[in-house]
Amino acid sequence: MENELRAAGARVVAGVDEVGRGAWAGPLLVCAAVPGEGEPPAGLTDSKRLTPKRRRELAAQIEPWVADHAFGWSEAAEIDEVGMTEALHRAARRALDALEPRPDAVLLDGRHDFIGRPWPVRTQVKGDLTCVSVAAAAILAKVRRDSLMAEIAEEHPGYGFEKAAGYPSPTHRATLAEVGPTPYHRMSWAYLDDLPRWRHLRRVRPAPGGQIPLL
């Protein structure tokens, strides 16, 4: 896919993928990666198909291979404020804006272009299985976010952040029901409705136009 875009005139192609979209806690992270010269590390694929150890091994090989890569973050508070679609948009643009030189073609994993103009985006379903740049971005993003969530786990033990990275594992659910949310939890999400002791903390985002939606 990268070769096809280069043949069409693109000089710098960046692959983009995200991690953390479905988590209850922790930031959303988007990585943008520009393939380097030569053969990519062997074994690039969907990061979810790899063990944590293998992801870390590949990340260590990807970093010196890529011509450039950058991360864009959207913290839980921003997600609560603007919603996931806008958070994805902002995080992706932060990652792409940090690349040097600026890409003139972007491969984005999935069906939906959440980046938008002026970036020339081509979406690719299962891009992490077919595009080396997207696979590289996916692995780098997953390893970076997992490392961050392991650090947060030391600050907030008991939620299983070091293993499930803020996703709703049984351990996470049980501790959340007993202890309540941390500052890293997304407080506008519906999981709070199922927690009698904590549902009053749920934050309701204003609908477009500033009106509070009826629940």
Side-chain angles (χ1 to χ4, degrees), residues 72-197:
W73 302 84
S74 184
E75 301 292 345
E78 184 174 42
I79 295 169
D80 288 336
E81 179 183 356
V82 301
M84 181 54 70
T85 299
E86 177 64 18
L88 281 165
H89 175 76
R90 293 183 182 188
R93 283 174 173 260
R94 288 164 185 157
L96 288 167
D97 284 340
L99 292 177
E100 183 63 39
R102 179 186 176 93
D104 42 27
V106 176
L107 279 168
L108 175 61
D109 186 46
R111 297 181 185 276
H112 175 58
D113 176 11
F114 53 74
I115 301 173
R117 295 179 179 179
W119 294 101
V121 176
R122 178 168 178 172
T123 58
Q124 179 67 25
V125 176
K126 298 188 183 301
D128 45 10
L129 293 176
T130 58
C131 310
V132 292
S133 60
V134 175
I139 292 169
L140 291 172
K142 177 65 173 167
V143 170
R144 183 65 173 270
R145 188 177 183 278
D146 282 356
S147 176
L148 173 68
M149 295 306 295
E151 294 177 10
I152 293 175
E154 296 180 2
E155 181 182 353
H156 297 280
Y159 294 86
F161 291 158
E162 71 282 5
K163 293 183 178 179
Y167 286 84
S169 67
T171 297
H172 186 176
R173 291 172 183 268
T175 301
L176 187 58
E178 179 64 25
V179 181
T182 70
Y184 298 97
H185 277 88
R186 300 169 188 181
M187 302 303 291
S188 60
W189 284 40
Y191 69 83
L192 282 166
D193 291 341
D194 298 323
L195 301 173
R197 293 180 59 187

Side-chain angles (χ1 to χ4, degrees), residues 30-110:
V30 175
C31 180
V34 177
E37 299 293 333
E39 290 295 317
L44 287 183
T45 186
D46 180 354
S47 64
K48 295 184 289 296
R49 298 188 176 191
L50 304 169
T51 65
K53 180 176 183 292
R54 182 58 180 148
R55 282 196 296 265
R56 292 192 296 270
E57 291 171 350
L58 276 172
Q61 298 173 43
I62 291 168
E63 289 187 359
W65 170 70
V66 293
D68 196 11
H69 74 285
F71 299 105
W73 302 84
S74 184
E75 301 292 345
E78 184 174 42
I79 295 169
D80 288 336
E81 179 183 356
V82 301
M84 181 54 70
T85 299
E86 177 64 18
L88 281 165
H89 175 76
R90 293 183 182 188
R93 283 174 173 260
R94 288 164 185 157
L96 288 167
D97 284 340
L99 292 177
E100 183 63 39
R102 179 186 176 93
D104 42 27
V106 176
L107 279 168
L108 175 61
D109 186 46

